[in-house]
Amino acid sequence: MRSETIARNYAETLFVLAEKGGATQLYADLLDAVAHGIAAAPQVEAVLMSPRVTKAQKAELLARALESAPRDFIRFLGAVIKRSRQGLFGPMAVEFQGLLDQKLRRVRAAVTVARPVDEKFRKQIADRLTAVVGKEVLPHFHEDPSLLGGLIVRVGDRVFDGSVRRRMTVLRRLLLTR
């Protein structure tokens, strides 16, 4: 089975567990924190992936690090470690976030701009995208000076390219074909 499928299965299981407890956002935040914490600390990742450290020790390490987390979440982490799937915490967090976004009827968008934009303009872009897409849009902004101006928006498989660079390319093609 592919690792994405396995990560999705674990995320779905945790999502059902979180829904029952009414703590979906909390579980999303905790799983994201675990995934980012492991990715940010190569020593922790080395310990979790080491065959020299027992599974019980690995589970205990995470349980101690997350003392205030709900018991069901800690049990879930232990089950993941018991099955040697701790290398999938990152993909699990992504899949869980996708399930939460689906539940809350929201989508994530990558917005590429030519230069930094202020908070007011970011809000305007988010509001306009929400109106166009029909769901709440959570934009993530990136800068690319080669756009010259305008912006490029990716929402799932759809790309909206309103950049000056694209307009200049279209104009160039038009002039060269005449």
Side-chain angles (χ1 to χ4, degrees), residues 151-176:
L151 52 92
I152 298 173
V153 178
R154 287 186 201 284
V155 179
D157 293 341
R158 297 190 307 190
V159 177
F160 304 98
D161 190 343
S163 66
V164 173
R165 179 178 65 191
R166 183 192 60 82
R167 292 179 190 163
M168 288 179 64
T169 302
V170 169
L171 182 61
R172 182 173 185 254
R173 284 187 195 140
L174 199 92
L175 291 173
L176 291 176

Side-chain angles (χ1 to χ4, degrees), residues 90-166:
M92 282 179 213
V94 170
E95 292 292 339
F96 192 95
Q97 195 62 53
L99 292 168
L100 183 59
D101 288 345
Q102 201 172 22
K103 176 191 174 207
L104 299 176
R105 292 196 33 81
R106 62 186 186 195
V107 294
R108 295 177 185 276
V111 180
T112 307
V113 293
R115 59 186 175 278
V117 293
D118 63 356
E119 196 57 42
K120 181 180 175 187
F121 191 61
R122 288 174 185 250
K123 175 99 171 85
Q124 288 176 337
I125 290 171
D127 291 343
R128 181 75 176 121
L129 287 172
T130 297
V132 169
V133 174
K135 294 181 178 180
E136 180 186 2
V137 175
L138 304 174
H140 298 279
F141 288 86
H142 310 280
E143 292 178 34
D144 181 0
S146 72
L147 294 183
L148 303 175
L151 52 92
I152 298 173
V153 178
R154 287 186 201 284
V155 179
D157 293 341
R158 297 190 307 190
V159 177
F160 304 98
D161 190 343
S163 66
V164 173
R165 179 178 65 191
R166 183 192 60 82

Side-chain angles (χ1 to χ4, degrees), residues 5-21:
T5 306
I6 295 167
R8 180 151 182 98
N9 289 340
Y10 277 96
E12 287 173 350
T13 301
L14 183 61
F15 193 80
V16 169
L17 189 65
E19 286 282 286
K20 285 181 183 174

Side-chain angles (χ1 to χ4, degrees), residues 6 10 55 75-88 92:
I6 295 167
Y10 277 96
K55 292 176 181 181
R75 276 197 224 123
F76 171 80
L77 295 179
V80 170
I81 290 171
K82 182 179 178 183
R83 290 166 185 83
S84 299
R85 302 291 191 193
Q86 61 271 23
L88 297 176
M92 282 179 213

Side-chain angles (χ1 to χ4, degrees), residues 39-103:
Q43 312 90 316
V44 175
E45 185 177 17
V47 168
L48 289 176
M49 300 308 288
S50 174
R52 291 183 178 181
V53 181
T54 67
K55 292 176 181 181
Q57 290 172 323
K58 293 173 188 179
E60 178 62 27
L61 173 74
L62 286 178
R64 274 190 282 137
L66 299 165
E67 287 176 348
S68 62
R71 220 170 101 166
D72 286 341
F73 185 79
I74 299 299
R75 276 197 224 123
F76 171 80
L77 295 179
V80 170
I81 290 171
K82 182 179 178 183
R83 290 166 185 83
S84 299
R85 302 291 191 193
Q86 61 271 23
L88 297 176
F89 280 131
M92 282 179 213
V94 170
E95 292 292 339
F96 192 95
Q97 195 62 53
L99 292 168
L100 183 59
D101 288 345
Q102 201 172 22
K103 176 191 174 207

